């Protein structure tokens, strides 16, 4: 989903992925995704734009493995690594897909991590970053329009 945190829009990694894939210009491919790291290769107009990788070591250095989101990193490291690799790649390689609004995830703005709550088993239909783009076409289109409306108000 999209959240407003202290006046700043924050996007789930799934929404970022859907907006990028739906854009018709930018895309990404998962080249590595395990409990240690996630690497995404981004393309712009069919040409490689670059890679975004986020590792458990990056999370440790950034202090993300302690504090209010530590349970998410401990219980769902693949989801958290994907979210960080996606948000970094979206900012670095696909800023136009978000209408000039810098995309952040809620946890990057200091909010609790989105996704499964502690003690709940993950639901692949809800918690997976690999939903088919077709599943989000209407949602991504409405978010892109909403972002454009913010940009021009």
């Amino acid at each position: 989903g999209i959240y407003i945190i202290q006046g700043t829009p924050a996007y789930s990694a799934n929404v970022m992925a859907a907006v990028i894939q739906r854009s018709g210009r930018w895309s990404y491919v998962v080249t590595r995704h395990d409990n240690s790291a996630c690497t995404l290769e981004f393309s712009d107009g069919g040409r490689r734009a670059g890679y975004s990788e986020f590792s458990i070591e990056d999370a440790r250095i950034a202090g993300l493995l302690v504090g209010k989101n530590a349970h998410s990193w401990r219980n769902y490291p693949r989801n958290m690594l994907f979210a960080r690799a996606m948000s970094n790649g979206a900012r670095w390689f696909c800023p136009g897909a978000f209408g000039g609004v810098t995309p952040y995830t809620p946890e990057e703005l200091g909010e609790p991590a989105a996704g499964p709550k502690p003690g709940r088993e993950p639901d692949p239909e809800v918690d997976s970053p690999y939903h088919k783009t077709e599943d989000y076409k209407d949602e991504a289109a409405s978010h892109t329009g909403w972002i454009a409306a913010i940009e021009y108000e």
Side-chain angles (χ1 to χ4, degrees):
I2 295 180
Y3 313 90
I4 303 297
I5 300 169
Q6 299 176 10
T8 302
Y11 312 92
S12 71
N14 287 342
V15 168
M16 286 185 203
V19 168
I20 289 166
Q21 289 181 334
R22 176 120 169 49
S23 72
R25 176 177 170 182
W26 294 280
S27 62
Y28 74 92
V29 175
V30 177
T31 60
R32 177 180 179 190
H33 193 207
D34 55 38
N35 287 335
S36 300
C38 180
T39 306
L40 307 176
E41 179 182 345
F42 287 83
S43 298
D44 182 350
R47 289 193 270 193
R48 186 178 339 161
Y51 290 89
S52 176
E53 179 174 84
F54 205 84
S55 68
I56 287 294
E57 180 62 13
D58 294 327
R60 187 192 64 72
I61 290 168
L64 300 174
L65 303 181
V66 296
K68 65 181 167 182
N69 284 327
H71 71 278
S72 294
W73 283 94
R74 185 174 45 256
N75 295 327
Y76 311 104
R78 290 175 43 138
N79 290 11
M80 300 302 285
L81 292 166
F82 177 83
R84 283 301 172 101
M86 176 55 66
S87 63
N88 284 339
R91 284 191 294 274
W92 298 339
F93 306 116
C94 312
F98 296 89
V101 177
T102 304
Y104 291 101
T105 61
E107 51 277 6
E108 288 175 310
L109 296 175
E111 290 296 308
K117 302 295 181 225
R120 180 174 77 75
E121 288 296 315
D123 178 351
E125 291 299 314
V126 175
D127 302 320
S128 172
Y130 295 111
H131 294 294
K132 295 177 184 172
T133 302
E134 293 79 28
D135 295 343
Y136 285 96
K137 281 185 178 176
D138 293 334
E139 183 178 349
S142 68
H143 293 290
T144 303
W146 178 78
I147 293 166
I150 291 173
E151 181 73 16
Y152 297 107
E153 283 183 354

